[in-house]
Amino acid sequence: MEYLLELAASPTAWVALATLVVMEIVLGIDNLIFISILTNKLPEQHRQKARRIGIGMALILRLALLSTIAFIVQLTEPVIEILGHAFSWKDMILIAGGLFLLWKATTEIHHSMDPAPDDPTSATSTVTLGFAAAIGQILMLDMVFSIDSIITAVGMTEHLPIMIIAVVVSVLVMLLAADPLAKFINDNPTVVMLALGFLIMIGMTLIAEGFGAHVPKGYVYAAMAFSATIEGLNMLSRRARQKRIAAEA
């Protein structure tokens, strides 16, 4: 209790908390984009449930990893060497997660460009299998993003309560933003392609970091923000053109 009171009275601790909360929210954007795209592939009645489960598991994984900080720190130690390059468990997890994101985003782009015909088989079995597959893929990426998130937190502060608060706040923000973001992506088909492009960029970044090439997150998010701004201007232009056509008609 005394330790918590000392933290609460420390301006440095509050600065660290605010910085870490912002960092965790930014890191959570990747996770949220993937969850939004994936759950939008499900029947509408299952989407919100899948998003809640996915984000809830993200919180559980992050808190579980925080309880094993000593183990998390060891994940950065080299365990294997290939062609003169040492890889840690963190590196291999990031590479695997990046490859999965590349595969998933490329597959979704292919389906968007050349959609398969509807399967006339039983709707019930399709929904069940689709929901289970979606949850499995969300959990897989939750693990990758959670490890990256917690290692970042450990590197920014040594105080466990600050890490826990930052993680909980960031996941709550994800929970609040999940439905509006998913609806926005679903209502704007061009945004889907942009988001899939983001996933490819994120996947490439994870692979690069797994091979030891540090990619500043600021560059990645600046590119995403720029692309999103351009797409936003295009959307405003299309709406203005549609209103003008409707008015002339």
Side-chain angles (χ1 to χ4, degrees):
M1 187 64 180
E2 184 178 348
Y3 170 65
L4 294 177
L5 291 176
E6 289 178 0
L7 276 182
S10 171
T12 304
W14 284 102
V15 171
L17 176 60
T19 304
L20 189 54
V21 165
V22 172
M23 181 65 69
E24 291 293 324
I25 290 175
V26 171
L27 290 175
I29 293 174
D30 307 347
N31 207 168
L32 194 55
I33 291 174
F34 179 79
I35 290 174
S36 298
I37 291 177
L38 199 59
T39 54
N40 279 346
K41 303 290 288 184
L42 295 172
E44 188 170 354
Q45 65 269 27
H46 294 281
R47 294 175 184 174
Q48 188 177 67
K49 180 181 178 182
R51 284 193 287 269
R52 296 288 184 268
I53 293 175
I55 296 173
M57 289 305 299
L59 176 60
I60 293 172
L61 283 170
R62 282 163 168 78
L63 294 179
L65 290 172
L66 278 176
S67 66
T68 59
I69 288 181
F71 169 73
I72 292 300
V73 172
Q74 291 177 1
L75 289 179
T76 59
E77 298 295 327
V79 294
I80 190 174
E81 186 171 325
I82 300 177
L83 299 177
H85 185 83
F87 293 91
S88 65
W89 282 112
K90 177 198 172 186
D91 295 333
M92 291 185 283
I93 291 171
L94 290 180
I95 292 171
L99 290 173
F100 176 77
L101 273 183
L102 289 181
W103 169 77
K104 187 62 183 176
T106 304
T107 302
E108 292 299 328
I109 289 175
H110 174 72
H111 287 168
S112 297
M113 300 297 291
D114 185 22
D118 293 335
D119 188 357
T121 57
S122 171
T124 305
S125 62
T126 302
V127 170
T128 303
L129 291 174
F131 184 82
I135 295 300
Q137 293 178 36
I138 289 173
L139 292 181
M140 184 184 300
L141 261 296
D142 274 348
M143 176 61 74
V144 175
F145 289 127
S146 293
I147 290 175
D148 193 27
S149 170
I150 297 307
I151 289 177
T152 300
V154 171
M156 291 186 65
T157 182
E158 60 183 12
H159 302 297
L160 184 60
I162 291 178
M163 298 181 204
I164 293 174
I165 294 173
V167 165
V168 171
V169 170
S170 67
V171 174
L172 288 176
V173 171
M174 287 174 59
L175 192 62
L176 293 174
D179 289 342
L181 178 62
K183 185 178 185 303
F184 178 76
I185 290 176
N186 189 58
D187 292 344
N188 298 275
T190 56
V191 175
V192 175
M193 199 62 67
L194 181 64
L196 290 171
F198 288 164
L199 290 184
I200 289 178
M201 182 168 61
I202 294 165
M204 291 299 298
T205 302
L206 291 177
I207 293 172
E209 291 188 353
F211 279 98
H214 176 64
V215 181
K217 290 290 195 300
Y219 293 162
V220 176
Y221 293 120
M224 291 171 65
F226 178 77
S227 301
T229 301
I230 297 300
E231 178 59 25
L233 293 175
N234 286 333
M235 291 171 61
L236 291 175
S237 176
R238 285 195 296 270
R239 289 178 182 176
R241 185 166 59 251
Q242 290 170 357
K243 287 181 179 180
R244 186 168 59 251
I245 292 173
E248 292 175 352

